[in-house]
Amino acid sequence: MLGRKERFACFLLSNICSAWAGLLYPRTSQSREVQLLDGMWNFRIDDSPNRNAGFEQRWYERSLSETGQVIPMPVPSSYNDITEDGRIRDFVGWAWYDTEFFLSSDWANKRVVLRIDSAQYNAIVWVNSKQVMTHQGGHIPFQAEINQYLTVLSDGPNRLTVAVNNTLTPHTIPPGTIDWPAKDSPIPYPPNYFTQTLQMDSFNYAGIDRHVSLYTTPKSYIDDITITTNIVDTTGIVNYRVVTVGDIPQGDITVRILNKTGAIVGQGGGSSGTIQIPNANLWWAINTNSLHQPGYLYTLEVHTGQDVDADVYRLPFGIRTIKVVGRKILLNNEEFYFKGVGIHNEAEIRGRGLDYAMIVKDFNLMRWVGANSFRTAVFPFSEEWMDQADQQGFLVADEVPAVGLNSLDNLSNQTLQNHMNAMSELIQRDKNRPSVFLWSVANEPRTDRPESLPYFQKIINFTRSLDPSRLISFMCNHDFNTDKCVHLVDLIFINRYIGWYTQTGLLDLIQPQLKYDLDQWAETFNKPLVISEYGAGTMPEIHRVPSTVFSEEYQIDFLSRYHRTFDSALGNLTGEFIWCLTDFNTYQSITRVNGNKKGIFTRERQPKMSAFNLRHRYLTFNNTDFCIENRCT
Ligand SMILES: *[C@@H]1O[C@H](CO)[C@@H](O)[C@H](O)[C@H]1NC(C)=O
Ligand SMILES: *[C@@H]1O[C@H](CO)[C@@H](O)[C@H](O)[C@H]1NC(C)=O
Ligand SMILES: *[C@@H]1O[C@H](CO)[C@@H](O)[C@H](O)[C@H]1NC(C)=O
Ligand SMILES: *[C@@H]1O[C@H](CO)[C@@H](O)[C@H](O)[C@H]1NC(C)=O
Ligand SMILES: *[C@@H]1O[C@H](CO)[C@@H](O)[C@H](O)[C@H]1NC(C)=O
Ligand SMILES: *[C@@H]1O[C@H](CO)[C@@H](O)[C@H](O)[C@H]1NC(C)=O
Ligand SMILES: *[C@@H]1O[C@H](CO)[C@@H](O)[C@H](O)[C@H]1NC(C)=O
């Protein structure tokens, strides 16, 4: 089932092998049905002094409403961002959910899988009082076959109970600590008082924030599919590998490739193979070259046989290559410049969790500013979000939640294990997406010490062993002469804040110092160089001339100096990701005014003046069509 490298990785870290079970998105087909369990669930926090009453009293053995007072809680959503109760907003510990569902009697002879697309961070799941799965880490789906727990297939409700713990520890990804007052503190505190300290510029959204679903497969089924592509002249080369479970003879597996209008353009058979597509439609990025149609997707259709028990799965994919040549990035052998946006926590506005309307809105904003790429800072986004990147043609830097690895003490072996686990789960989920060009293993980690090198060698080597077909990097906030790990990456991403966190308000220093910085990076490493963050906090509707920090004018003055510098470094620089698309919520801090305000749009998705500035830059950059229509010079 596993390739040699994957087996080796599993040998090193036996506890992550479960991640190599498939994570195919639940899709309907002739052989599969999907039932969403989203909706209004029952909810309560366990604020007992030891945060353990739920386990001591076995809340999972009854309806949650019989254990105490419950409130309605939408799934998906973040429970700590939608009530008026400060105790729930600030709650740390186990939060409990339950709901009931019926199954169609047609499901009696099928394999039934329960899938939770994300729960932050630690989850335990029971069906009809029996524990069916646990998972550590947010933002990634986890699932289990639950047939044996469904005692009442047709004549009674099934109860689904989920306990979710948002406690971050020194070894979770991301890390955090629980801080108690000193035992002998003379300063009074309320009883059992503790706080959670985060090491990230984020609000610690908690709960079940994406879909929960049930789906069926036949008893023998397709567990996983892996696709890699290449291009030779005008022919698309599609390598596929299908992993099945159960009694499915190799020879029964058939594979077809359908184009966008449903015509069969390629066929194969067996559990792995290569299919050639002459004159392939390549997957291109949007807002890049008007001659290319962005986001062209084919469908790989797998059948495990001809009879009624056969499984059928359809996986969308794109044909494209991504390569590094010297200081350049090539998409389908054409030079590519990232007109990027950093996005923090998709659809995070007011704890909506997964929200289709917000996905559409944010993609519309990206299209409107003329972006061709984005970074999923500092967490993996939902699969529904990533589907739009594939379909609309945005290249994605896909990041694990390894944010806050701030000191050598935070780089323990136990953290590394969780970090590898998070990497392998993300790759397992997103490995077939044409939009994903890069695995980002961390944001602003402590990489400027020689002692950090073994940790980052291991996580980068591990990531490469799981997917050699994509680029690997981390978002670096150190200097060209202090970072000790950046030589390991395929392309260098740097976060820069001259004129904001440093040299605050000193706009005249941006161009000379940033240009010097870019030249030094280019000279020292001779790799593609991308600005992964640059931005200034901006309160909408504060105006100042001459500009001062936090005014809309300062954001524009700041950005235009960066843009002029980027233009003067073209050739060495291969892209820019503005920080960031929209304002976002953070934990309470005297450096954040109701959250991080570096967005070019507000949290309500309305533009600041800077949004027009970036839109002009991106739409005119290497886009002669736009300039002809809009008479720009
Ligand atoms: C759950 O929350 C409690 C309270 O914060 C904490 O002590 C415990 O370690 C957490 N357990 C897990 C598995 O996260
Ligand atoms: C990270 O390391 C610092 C420095 O030793 C320490 O103060 C902090 O508690 C650590 N954070 C975590 C989450 O362990
Ligand atoms: C799909 O393939 C058929 C047959 O080759 C062709 O006629 C059709 O134009 C193709 N559709 C697209 C969208 O490429
Ligand atoms: C963009 O345009 C500049 C100036 O015309 C050119 O030097 C550069 O190669 C172009 N870059 C890309 C990625 O097309
Ligand atoms: C981490 O693991 C490495 C290699 O297995 C070992 O040499 C090192 O001592 C471990 N570090 C700690 C702090 O346990
Ligand atoms: C990582 O891979 C490189 C190149 O394959 C190898 O030289 C190095 O020893 C590896 N390091 C670790 C820690 O596995
Ligand atoms: C690119 O970097 C080199 C240093 O390697 C520097 O000499 C050169 O001026 C830079 N080119 C541009 C266009 O910035």
Side-chain angles (χ1 to χ4, degrees), residues 50-51 92-94 122 165-167 169 178 180 194:
N50 66 358
R51 295 285 193 274
V92 178
W94 292 102
N122 260 313
N165 196 337
N166 62 339
T167 305
T169 78
I178 298 292
W180 275 274
F194 63 85

Side-chain angles (χ1 to χ4, degrees), residues 380-591:
F381 290 5
S382 68
E383 291 162 279
E384 293 76 10
W385 177 288
M386 298 295 282
D387 285 347
Q388 290 308 306
D390 288 340
Q391 289 171 28
Q392 300 193 32
F394 286 86
L395 279 174
V396 183
D398 205 359
E399 193 159 290
V400 276
V403 53
L405 301 177
N406 294 339
S407 85
L408 290 178
D409 292 344
N410 307 148
L411 299 176
S412 67
N413 284 349
Q414 209 181 330
T415 299
L416 179 64
Q417 284 229 347
N418 287 330
H419 197 165
M420 288 177 166
N421 192 24
M423 257 353 289
S424 62
E425 289 183 338
L426 178 63
I427 292 173
Q428 182 65 320
R429 192 194 75 165
D430 286 350
K431 64 185 173 183
N432 295 317
R433 296 189 177 280
S435 57
V436 174
F437 74 98
L438 177 106
W439 304 117
S440 167
V441 302
N443 177 56
E444 301 188 348
R446 181 101 248 184
T447 46
D448 59 343
R449 299 286 293 275
E451 301 93 315
S452 323
L453 187 57
Y455 184 101
F456 286 92
Q457 267 175 340
K458 283 179 198 147
I459 190 70
I460 288 172
N461 278 14
F462 176 74
T463 305
R464 213 182 295 289
S465 75
L466 298 182
D467 183 5
S469 76
R470 287 185 176 78
L471 309 180
I472 300 171
S473 195
F474 61 87
M475 307 300 150
C476 177
N477 63 342
H478 301 293
D479 287 330
F480 69 92
N481 55 0
T482 58
D483 195 276
K484 299 289 184 285
C485 301
V486 93
H487 64 277
L488 302 170
V489 306
D490 296 312
L491 76 171
I492 297 174
F493 279 90
I494 50 174
N495 293 355
R496 293 293 102 148
Y497 286 100
I498 300 167
W500 186 253
Y501 291 117
T502 60
Q503 295 92 345
T504 310
L506 307 179
L507 289 164
D508 289 346
L509 297 186
I510 292 174
Q511 281 171 268
Q513 297 194 355
L514 183 62
K515 181 65 167 67
Y516 170 79
D517 188 36
L518 297 178
D519 286 352
Q520 297 305 315
W521 281 99
E523 173 91 32
T524 312
F525 294 99
N526 195 29
K527 289 186 185 220
L529 179 65
V530 176
I531 300 284
S532 38
E533 287 186 16
Y534 68 103
T538 306
M539 299 297 291
E541 295 177 23
I542 291 197
H543 293 287
R544 288 289 181 277
V545 59
S547 69
T548 54
V549 288
F550 286 111
S551 68
E552 294 213 34
E553 288 77 9
Y554 190 84
Q555 191 180 28
I556 289 191
D557 286 347
F558 174 100
L559 297 177
S560 19
R561 281 166 175 78
Y562 273 76
H563 295 158
R564 266 177 253 152
T565 318
F566 297 163
D567 290 343
S568 75
L570 282 180
N572 288 345
L573 192 68
T574 186
E576 54 196 84
F577 287 76
I578 199 168
W579 190 248
C580 53
L581 186 68
T582 66
D583 292 343
F584 59 92
N585 198 7
T586 61
Y587 63 90
Q588 298 186 59
S589 144
I590 52 165
T591 64

